Amino acid sequence: MADAFIYDCVRTPRGRGKPDGALHEVSSLGLAVSALSALRERNGLDTRLVDDVVLGCVDPVGEAGGDIARAAALASGYGDHVPGVQINRFCASGLDAVNFAAAQVMSGQHDMAVGGGVESMSRVGIGASGGAWPMDPAIAIPSYFMPQGVSADLIATKYGFTRDECDAYAVQSQKRAAQSWDEGRFSKSVAPVKDINGLTLLARDEHMRPATDMQSLASLKPAFQMMADQGGFAAVAIQAHPDVEALRHVHHAGNSSGIVDGAAAVLVGNAGAGAAAGLKPRARIRAFANIGSDPALMLTGPVDVTRKVLKRAGMAISDIDLFEVNEAFAAVVLRYMQAFGLDGEQINVCGGAIAMGHPLGATGAMILGTALDELERSGKGVALVTLCIGAGMGTATIIERI
């Protein structure tokens, strides 16, 4: 099979996913166009070389529906010949979009493709597309459906993570994100979003709260206790995992991922396509994998899929220099570190979604770009990127710096 190389990664800054957020006036299409246009312009990309655009979008309804990838390719000036396809694997959609693009290249069916994602959480509300899993008792009951926040508290309870440990991790995420912005670590990949007059709407992640400390987080009430107790989901959690006697509610807005708007795009191609475009590869995609995991715990998929992708690549955990583990909730990353005996100096070293936010369909592509930028900045060689996923799944990708 052909090698799939990453030639460039670009993302928008993340805007707060509320009506007063800086990107609320920008449509889902506009966000996707911002990322695709920046990718084309900064590389002088001849889009006649692009065989497909694959975009993740978790709530593809309303303005984000109807195959937003094709609409975005057209609106970005890629040309009528460039097709597009929208995919949804919940929170891993953006990473899977890159993996889908890479698979097209590796199989030899395409020479160059763009993978990425978009989500306007301020304009298309989370859960707007509905779904059988939370709504149809035929599947919700036997699979122990519960909201993700309750699953996060179940993980914390089952694996022994305290409120203080989760809060300390959240403070670290905020500090690292602020430091990374101050040191210019994101300047290579973040393209400002502009309005129709060319004025900048947002050039920096808007959700961050660098002044966050343990004292300020201690004042926040658990966010998921009421739905667990009054909605009956605590009983569901204990039924699914009877070794847990009672849930400890440790997650809240300050140690969970933020709701934000954003988009990202990653240019993937074989060696010939890169040469034709006059581009040098930045990294090679060594392996990727998906897996199903316990739907009640739901968010432990990164542990399972990491074992799978390492086996597929013929690697050990010690071969990985940097990890990007999406910070859906603090306990997700703490469990990952616990499972592999890792310290925090290799994981999410630039901060993560707790600080900067999680634009569902785009996050996977965003953190892939973060991993690549950090490999180049630090001179390290190999990174593993992974995300937990609704309904109990995991996706992971290993990249090697060129």
Side-chain angles (χ1 to χ4, degrees), residues 6-261:
I6 298 174
Y7 288 98
D8 201 14
C9 306
V10 64
R11 72 169 177 93
T12 68
R14 300 167 171 101
R16 284 186 299 113
K18 296 181 179 181
D20 62 350
L23 298 181
H24 178 64
E25 69 179 74
V26 184
S27 68
S28 301
L29 176 63
L31 290 173
V33 168
S34 183
L36 290 176
S37 296
L39 190 71
R40 185 196 70 235
E41 292 165 5
R42 65 195 242 154
N43 290 289
L45 181 62
D46 180 356
T47 56
R48 290 175 297 181
L49 298 170
V50 177
D51 293 306
D52 204 0
V53 172
V54 187
L55 294 183
C57 185
V58 173
D59 282 299
V61 295
E63 69 176 44
D67 190 358
I68 194 170
R70 170 61 170 165
L74 290 170
S76 302
Y78 275 49
D80 294 353
H81 69 284
V82 179
V85 60
Q86 174 269 325
I87 67 167
N88 180 11
R89 201 192 298 272
F90 299 142
C91 296
S93 299
L95 184 60
D96 245 336
V98 178
N99 292 343
F100 278 36
Q104 293 172 340
V105 171
M106 290 173 170
S107 68
Q109 303 307 302
H110 287 167
D111 296 319
M112 179 173 281
V114 176
V118 60
E119 209 78 43
S120 177
M121 300 181 75
S122 70
R123 296 171 64 97
V124 182
I126 185 172
S129 57
W133 187 50
M135 301 174 68
D136 189 336
I139 184 60
I141 292 172
S143 63
Y144 302 102
F145 167 77
M146 65 189 82
Q148 284 196 358
V150 179
S151 289
D153 284 341
L154 174 60
I155 292 169
T157 304
K158 186 177 180 72
Y159 293 104
F161 306 126
T162 66
R163 167 75 180 255
D164 281 351
E165 288 174 318
C166 291
D167 284 357
Y169 182 83
V171 170
Q172 175 182 271
S173 179
Q174 294 282 358
K175 301 302 183 188
R176 285 179 169 180
Q179 180 182 1
S180 295
W181 269 107
D182 291 344
E183 293 178 355
R185 295 191 190 186
F186 298 129
S187 60
K188 189 172 185 176
S189 293
V190 175
V193 177
K194 300 182 178 181
D195 65 13
I196 59 174
N197 298 310
L199 300 176
T200 297
L201 294 172
L202 188 64
R204 183 183 174 100
D205 293 320
E206 188 180 26
H207 183 268
M208 298 187 302
R209 295 179 176 86
T212 297
D213 56 24
M214 294 293 288
Q215 289 70 34
S216 62
L217 292 184
S219 67
L220 300 177
K221 295 182 179 180
F224 308 105
Q225 183 168 2
M226 182 177 293
M227 66 177 66
D229 293 341
Q230 298 184 10
F233 293 112
V236 174
I238 293 169
Q239 186 178 37
H241 287 267
D243 55 309
V244 174
E245 295 183 0
L247 287 184
R248 291 201 311 269
H249 297 285
V250 300
H251 288 96
H252 49 75
N255 59 26
S256 306
S257 56
I259 294 173
V260 293
D261 305 332

